[in-house]
Amino acid sequence: MTDPAYRWNGAAIDLDAYLARIGFDGERAPTSATLRRLVCLHTTKIPFENLEIILGRTIPLDLSALQDKLIGRRRGGYCYENIGIFAAVLERLGFGVTGVSGRVTMGATEGLRPATHALLRVTTEDDERVWMVDVGFGAGPLEPYELVPSAGEFTLGRWRFRLERRVGELDTELWALHQFGRDGWLERYTFGTQPQYRIDFEVGNHFVSTAPRSPFTTRPFVQRFLPDVHYVIDGTTMTTEYPDGSGDTRELELAELPKVLSEIFDIDLDEADAATLSEGGWLLR
């Protein structure tokens, strides 16, 4: 895309700081190998979290704010934040990058969900394949997945996924990504391939960070996705899940939250924010 509205301000990214944040020391070239490595490192090093909302703050998407939070303060974010900074990095490195929107279903079979998830459609210089990159869902995949009608079931690392091509409204192209977990196969989300402007993501970001109907405005939701385990905090419930579908769940005490966030999710809150989270005022919302 040459239209500036589609672009990601890659010239302004502090590339050295970002690559140090995720531990990347490979070739800085727009190849499929580099893309796979970047996706894996970003997904495993930068957690998914909505804590700023729970702490009463807004979620800005300008690149300077994203760099301050995800790089400078070593925090995480949700889809709009993660793909915003990742797209800027890819653009800076010379990849072809286009934003697309998804509808999170998580197994729901009725009703139309709002388009509140953001993904990236990426092309490289070393082949003609089209890749979908999802560094902001919190549950992987740890690699890009190829956008081909015959994809079917595939494994990335030890985690199992399934891609399904459908026909959407008005005969538009529609895709559905499924993931295997504790409850078997579950449809995670659907997405189209219509390019999205950054301003479209601003609108979605406003909804998920402020609307009473949004799950992110009512309780902490934090994820850490690793090659062998997926950790989730939902409110005060912590779930641990493994690639074979096994796992366990336990309830956390409010006072435990800051320590668990630090030790498992690599999120270190300052004393004031840790106290605010532990007070549990969000439980009354």
Side-chain angles (χ1 to χ4, degrees):
M1 292 290 175
T2 57
D3 187 329
Y6 281 108
R7 296 184 65 81
W8 300 92
N9 203 18
I13 189 77
D14 187 338
L15 188 60
D16 290 340
Y18 170 81
L19 296 179
R21 167 76 166 97
I22 65 171
F24 178 86
D25 59 2
E27 183 183 17
R28 299 185 183 189
T31 64
S32 54
T34 295
L35 180 63
R36 284 193 293 271
R37 187 60 178 157
L38 289 171
V39 170
C40 181
L41 288 171
H42 184 109
T43 305
T44 55
K45 297 293 186 181
I46 300 181
F48 179 104
E49 52 130 318
N50 70 330
L51 298 177
E52 292 297 279
I53 301 170
I54 302 305
L55 293 167
R57 303 184 185 120
T58 59
I59 305 294
L61 296 183
D62 60 278
L63 187 58
S64 61
L66 294 178
Q67 292 192 99
D68 174 66
K69 182 185 179 188
L70 276 68
I71 300 175
R73 293 190 283 137
R74 300 185 64 82
R75 290 282 301 279
Y78 56 32
C79 66
Y80 294 115
E81 298 170 278
N82 278 288
I83 72 107
I85 200 166
F86 198 72
V89 169
L90 294 185
E91 184 179 84
R92 174 72 173 271
L93 291 173
F95 290 91
V97 189
T98 304
V100 300
S101 287
R103 301 179 188 274
V104 178
T105 54
M106 296 306 292
T109 58
E110 297 182 359
L112 182 64
R113 298 296 181 93
T116 56
H117 184 49
L119 308 89
L120 298 173
R121 180 184 182 276
V122 179
T123 56
T124 69
E125 70 171 11
D126 60 331
D127 60 42
E128 296 182 353
R129 289 179 289 181
V130 175
W131 300 99
M132 293 306 302
V133 168
D134 189 359
V135 295
F137 195 77
L142 293 178
E143 296 182 23
Y145 55 94
E146 191 176 357
L147 198 60
V148 291
S150 59
E153 183 176 339
F154 57 96
T155 301
L156 295 177
R158 295 178 56 197
W159 300 92
R160 296 167 61 191
F161 300 90
R162 189 173 75 241
L163 184 63
E164 178 185 349
R165 186 177 185 271
R166 301 174 181 170
V167 177
E169 295 182 4
L170 303 177
D171 295 329
T172 57
E173 188 174 61
L174 185 69
W175 301 79
L177 184 71
H178 305 253
Q179 184 173 10
F180 183 82
R182 295 180 68 182
D183 299 316
W185 284 104
L186 182 71
E187 180 184 286
R188 293 195 343 180
Y189 53 73
T190 63
F191 62 93
T193 54
Q194 177 66 31
Q196 299 293 293
Y197 291 95
R198 285 182 286 114
I199 191 63
D200 297 327
F201 292 152
E202 292 277 0
V203 173
N205 178 58
H206 178 72
F207 174 82
V208 298
S209 64
T210 63
R213 292 177 54 200
S214 168
F216 297 149
T217 62
T218 59
R219 83 279 195 236
F221 192 70
V222 187
Q223 299 185 79
R224 186 84 187 273
F225 193 73
L226 300 171
D228 298 317
V229 62
H230 179 207
Y231 298 107
V232 181
I233 290 179
D234 188 347
T236 56
T237 302
M238 180 167 170
T239 301
T240 304
E241 184 172 337
Y242 302 97
D244 63 1
S246 64
D248 58 75
T249 300
R250 73 181 182 96
E251 289 297 314
L252 301 174
E253 299 292 335
L254 285 174
E256 288 184 89
L257 283 173
K259 181 179 180 181
V260 171
L261 287 172
S262 177
E263 294 181 350
I264 295 180
F265 297 86
D266 198 25
I267 296 173
D268 292 313
L269 300 177
D270 63 29
E271 186 175 344
D273 285 348
T276 299
L277 189 66
S278 298
E279 288 168 1
W282 46 272
L283 288 168
L284 303 176
R285 296 179 185 175

